[in-house]
Amino acid sequence: MKISSLLRAYRANRYKRRAKTVTDTSRLVAGTPQDRLLGLDAVLAGAVGCTVLDIGCHDGTVAQAFARAGAIRVEGCDISRAAVDTANERVQLEGSAFHVVDLTGGASALSALPLRPKYDIVCYLGMHHHLKGQMSPAALQHLTVAILGRSSDIFVARTPLRHFDELHEMIMNGGFAPVGDLEVSGKVGPSRVYRRTMPTA
């Protein structure tokens, strides 16, 4: 294994250990809450009456924005118990809930959660690069396909630019097409909105 791969795996596992123990959730993410909403304006504007799944919901900042924008149900998951507790306090929509999960367990970890089969909007923000350092390429591909399968319409992705081409290809192969250009933001990495072009089973 290359030194760079070992270093990435070490950093990813260090994040995982910290996420499971930290009580100050601000220490887990880069940027401000406002940074985490960059690139989401158009999706938030169209969220009225929608169901939303936030993969890697952190403390519910993004989920709360969707609730305030008129989403009827917002659910999510994260590895941090402290972050999930905060998200559950922030979002009080009927039927909304946030769950603790370690997605390095792959697609089976996602399917074990009490989630709906489909959501109008799925957000996958700032997660891919963390999982990449902890999972085999095949397991990450399988998990990404499972996450994409939860979206009936819109998929929003954010990851550091060095990983975006790989993630973009997975999303395109999953039956989506980009809506507009890549939104380049600061500390939280670029984001892009996709719309489903191929129906799900």
Side-chain angles (χ1 to χ4, degrees), residues 56-160:
C57 63
H58 186 53
D59 63 3
T61 296
V62 171
Q64 184 179 51
F66 275 103
R68 288 177 173 168
I72 58 171
R73 184 173 181 145
V74 185
E75 296 181 78
C77 59
D78 198 277
I79 194 172
S80 166
R81 165 61 65 190
V84 165
D85 287 347
T86 303
N88 277 310
E89 290 171 10
R90 279 190 162 161
V91 181
Q92 298 294 318
L93 287 176
E94 184 177 348
S96 295
F98 301 86
H99 311 280
V100 177
V101 67
D102 182 353
L103 288 177
T104 61
S108 60
L110 180 68
S111 65
L113 294 175
L115 300 173
R116 296 164 64 96
K118 301 287 181 193
Y119 296 82
D120 299 307
I121 301 166
V122 173
C123 296
Y124 184 53
L125 308 175
M127 285 290 298
H128 185 75
H129 63 291
H130 289 301
L131 296 171
K132 186 174 173 63
Q134 302 176 74
M135 302 175 71
S136 71
L140 181 56
Q141 170 83 23
H142 191 223
L143 173 62
T144 305
V145 168
I147 293 169
L148 288 164
R150 297 285 175 147
S151 172
S152 62
D153 189 20
I154 299 293
F155 190 83
V156 190
R158 178 183 294 135
T159 200

Side-chain angles (χ1 to χ4, degrees), residues 35-41 124-126 155-161 164 179-186 188-194:
D35 290 330
R36 293 197 287 281
L37 298 175
L38 288 172
L40 301 183
D41 289 351
Y124 184 53
L125 308 175
F155 190 83
V156 190
R158 178 183 294 135
T159 200
L161 194 55
F164 215 103
V179 177
D181 297 325
L182 188 69
E183 295 273 349
V184 178
S185 57
V188 293
S191 60
R192 177 172 270 169
V193 178
Y194 297 81

Side-chain angles (χ1 to χ4, degrees), residues 4 20 43 48 62 120 153 163 167 180 199:
S4 60
K20 287 185 173 183
V43 182
V48 176
V62 171
D120 299 307
D153 189 20
H163 301 301
L167 180 57

